[in-house]
Amino acid sequence: MKQNKLCSLAFFILSFTFSIAQTATETVDKIIAEGTNNSQLEVLAHELMDVVGPRLVGTPQMKHASDWAIEQFKEWGIDARMEEYGKWRGWQRGITHVDLISPRVVSLSGMQLAWSPSTPKKGIIAETILIPEVTDSLAFQRWLPNAKGKIVLVSMVQPTGRPDYNWEEFATPESFEKMKKDREELTKAWNERLKKTGFSSRDINQALEKAGALGIIQSRWSNGFGANKIFSANTKSIPVIDLSLEDYGLLYRLTENGSKPQLKVVAESTELGTVPTFNTIAEIKGTELPDEYVILSAHFDSWDGATGATDNGTGSITMMEAVRILKKIYPNPKRTILVGLWGSEEQGLNGSRAFVEDNPKIIEGVQAVFNQDNGTGRVVNISGQGFLHAYDYIGKWLNAVPNDISKHIETSFPGSPAGGGSDYASFVAAGAPAFSLSSLSWSYWNYTWHTNLDTYDKIVFDDVRNNAILTAIMAYMASEDDSKTSREKAVLPINSRTGEPRTWPTTRSPERDGGKMD
């Protein structure tokens, strides 16, 4: 009789285990089907990138993006809210027109930098001038009055507008090597020219502004056809414009050769005082362990040279699509699933650092954070971020992911903790298990990262669909896991520069009152 009871108990346990496994497999299959057959990614991308546009901190578009996302979450039956954590300089971009009006007439391709001061309504008309070659900083001080009433060109002229890969494909080896040598010498000479002024590229604009310059023209080429990095202005009252490599080269040569080119520049912008900074949070409450959290993480803000499609529109819509799928397929999760669309990542992880600092109870309850932020490509790498036992749970969760997705992914365990780079680092520093879903490049660094080309058309939707399904499955598995994830830290390797053991990153406070000019 006792033996029969033991057999019955064993059969019950096996049946129960099989039932759980079957349920998990069925759920994963449903997640895949929903993400494949009913994807909302194209719609989300259009509305975020094309309709809302870029999401620079402190701009009306950032607020618009949050309002739109909250409305979208609520349409899916997901609670959502905006959480303020600080304030920032408010600013709104207007039009930029740059026209060469002498020695010939042509409209140039350029835009004002973020937070650039506006020109007068009718614009400015002025001759261009170059940073001079001087013997030392005293000679530069004597030269500075020459900048008064001029538009100053402050970047090195590029010797070629062709990326290296183009040279490598078509040039002779000798020609390619000669170009690289010439470019290296030109760069060295330009850096020396700048050094002798007594200023750097970070502060020379302020000196020129103080001397009475009417505007600054730069060109920050991104080593790709048509791609320039677009960051922020650092002047108080005169505009800073970035021109394409091609048009900057034209202006530079005309100026250098004595043609005395004249520009008309109209750069409109509006100062909006001080405005709130915030994160956008969505939440599906856990039914069994509501104080433990699986966090889907992406920064929502962007630079505004384009529309922030791959940095980080794709990461944001990945997390939105993943939670949409989960709400439909897995509406009553074991643990709370939280989406964090962070603000002001581009200025130093401010949104996620504020969240970590302001929510110690949530950080204590984190089961896992999944962050995506490096472009449109399919996920190809996951590191254990220095958590000693990360392999045990990440490996288990990945095992549920179909092979056509997981076969692309390389893992490294235990890995090393990131000190920065993206928002997962804010959580890692606090000891919470957070992981970067690192993606394939698709020429991200040259063509879309912080450039004027980061637009909807650069999105590879098959790869983003892959990532949304992966994220949804990983979140489901993390939520359902019988165990709380271990936070035990691995012994970190020796720092090759110092010879000392590496240390775990420390938490840093966010900037809560930012964007002010000194």
Side-chain angles (χ1 to χ4, degrees):
M1 186 70 174
K2 187 176 180 182
Q3 187 175 6
N4 287 341
K5 285 183 178 180
L6 286 172
C7 287
S8 297
L9 180 61
F11 178 76
F12 173 78
I13 291 170
L14 283 170
S15 299
F16 182 70
T17 303
F18 177 76
S19 174
I20 290 173
Q22 189 176 42
T23 301
T25 302
E26 288 173 355
T27 301
V28 168
D29 288 345
K30 288 177 181 178
I31 287 171
I32 296 166
E34 177 64 23
T36 303
N37 302 326
N38 194 31
S39 172
Q40 301 298 300
L41 288 168
E42 284 88 347
V43 174
L44 294 173
H46 165 65
E47 291 180 355
L48 182 59
M49 267 58 82
D50 293 344
V51 179
V52 174
R55 301 162 301 282
L56 182 71
V57 61
T59 61
Q61 288 93 338
M62 187 64 192
K63 173 68 163 55
H64 184 188
S66 182
D67 291 342
W68 165 78
I70 289 169
E71 182 180 351
Q72 191 64 73
F73 285 128
K74 288 182 176 178
E75 282 182 16
W76 297 332
I78 300 170
D79 290 336
R81 61 191 181 273
M82 180 190 295
E83 287 188 356
E84 292 185 16
Y85 65 82
K87 52 190 177 180
W88 207 269
R89 172 187 173 187
W91 182 84
Q92 185 169 21
R93 176 182 290 279
I95 62 169
T96 305
H97 284 303
V98 184
D99 300 307
L100 177 66
I101 58 175
S102 178
R104 61 188 178 91
V105 176
V106 60
S107 291
L108 306 181
S109 177
M111 66 171 62
Q112 62 187 308
L113 299 188
W115 299 298
S116 174
S118 181
T119 60
K121 211 162 193 179
K122 291 184 178 180
I124 56 174
I125 295 176
E127 187 181 319
T128 59
I129 193 170
L130 305 180
I131 298 291
E133 292 193 56
V134 293
T135 54
D136 55 30
S137 60
L138 291 176
F140 184 69
Q141 290 296 326
R142 290 193 295 271
W143 174 89
L144 265 176
N146 291 285
K148 186 173 182 178
K150 303 291 199 307
I151 296 172
V152 189
L153 309 185
V154 298
S155 296
M156 183 187 89
V157 65
Q158 293 293 332
T160 177
R162 295 183 180 276
D164 282 6
Y165 67 79
N166 196 242
W167 278 83
E168 201 164 12
E169 183 176 359
F170 294 110
T172 64
E174 295 81 9
S175 180
F176 184 31
E177 288 306 312
K178 179 178 180 297
M179 184 280 292
K180 288 193 290 184
K181 183 180 179 182
D182 289 347
R183 184 175 60 194
E184 185 178 331
E185 290 175 356
L186 184 64
T187 302
K188 184 178 179 181
W190 179 263
N191 290 339
E192 187 63 23
R193 178 190 291 204
L194 194 59
K195 183 180 179 182
K196 286 180 178 178
T197 68
F199 295 95
S200 70
S201 59
R202 291 182 176 273
D203 57 11
I204 196 167
N205 289 358
Q206 292 97 318
L208 295 167
E209 179 178 30
K210 189 175 179 182
L214 291 184
I216 306 291
I217 299 279
Q218 67 163 50
S219 182
R220 189 165 180 173
W221 190 42
S222 189
N223 302 310
F225 284 116
N228 272 31
K229 302 293 188 196
I230 307 295
F231 290 107
S232 58
N234 56 359
T235 53
K236 293 182 178 180
S237 60
I238 64 172
V240 184
I241 308 294
D242 187 275
L243 277 190
S244 69
L245 174 147
E246 295 79 8
D247 286 342
Y248 186 84
L250 165 66
L251 266 188
Y252 194 100
R253 291 187 296 272
L254 288 171
T255 308
E256 187 175 44
N257 287 289
S259 296
K260 297 187 175 181
Q262 276 199 324
L263 294 181
K264 179 178 180 181
V265 177
V266 177
E268 296 180 357
S269 62
T270 306
E271 293 289 338
L272 301 174
T274 300
V275 299
T277 51
F278 45 82
N279 296 316
T280 303
I281 306 296
E283 190 173 34
I284 306 174
K285 203 72 176 172
T287 55
E288 294 180 38
L289 298 168
D291 295 329
E292 294 186 14
Y293 296 85
V294 177
I295 298 179
L296 310 186
S297 167
H299 76 85
F300 212 25
D301 67 308
S302 72
W303 287 103
D304 71 339
T307 58
T310 70
D311 184 21
N312 186 34
T314 45
S316 297
I317 64 173
T318 291
M319 299 309 162
M320 292 181 72
E321 173 74 348
V323 80
R324 180 195 70 80
I325 294 169
L326 290 168
K327 179 63 179 176
K328 186 169 183 179
I329 304 302
Y330 179 57
N332 300 301
K334 183 175 183 177
R335 293 176 171 88
T336 296
I337 295 174
L338 187 146
V339 180
L341 301 178
W342 315 116
S344 191
E345 184 268 358
E346 298 291 5
Q347 291 70 44
L349 315 186
N350 290 314
S352 56
R353 282 175 173 161
F355 184 85
V356 168
E357 189 169 270
D358 295 345
N359 295 278
K361 287 291 185 186
I362 291 178
I363 302 309
E364 185 182 327
V366 166
Q367 172 79 342
V369 177
F370 301 110
N371 185 82
Q372 211 283 317
D373 178 26
N374 64 325
T376 187
R378 61 189 175 274
V379 172
V380 292
N381 185 273
I382 300 175
S383 163
Q385 293 300 324
F387 292 100
L388 183 61
H389 301 292
Y391 171 79
D392 297 340
Y393 45 88
I394 293 290
K396 178 169 57 176
W397 302 339
L398 268 176
N399 196 47
V401 176
N403 183 60
D404 62 340
I405 294 176
S406 63
K407 69 181 179 182
H408 302 294
I409 302 173
E410 292 185 4
T411 56
S412 52
F413 297 107
S416 296
S422 191
D423 293 294
Y424 65 97
S426 302
F427 293 87
V428 169
F435 308 98
S436 173
L437 305 179
S438 299
S439 65
L440 196 66
S441 167
W442 282 97
S443 299
Y444 175 67
W445 300 108
N446 289 356
Y447 277 101
T448 61
W449 181 69
H450 301 167
T451 76
N452 57 319
L453 301 183
D454 192 11
T455 46
Y456 179 100
D457 51 284
K458 308 306 185 306
I459 300 173
V460 181
F461 282 103
D462 283 345
D463 281 11
V464 181
R465 219 175 331 271
N466 172 100
N467 296 347
I469 291 169
L470 168 68
T471 303
I473 294 171
M474 294 291 280
Y476 163 69
M477 293 300 294
S479 173
E480 283 294 300
D481 201 310
D482 290 334
S483 304
K484 183 78 159 42
T485 50
S486 168
R487 299 188 176 202
E488 187 177 350
K489 298 169 183 174
V491 175
L492 299 182
I494 299 295
N495 186 319
S496 58
R497 288 181 300 173
T498 65
E500 298 293 323
R502 294 181 184 273
T503 57
W504 199 267
T506 56
T507 56
R508 294 176 60 183
S509 291
E511 175 61 71
R512 295 185 187 263
D513 189 7
K516 295 178 177 178
M517 289 295 296
D518 295 329

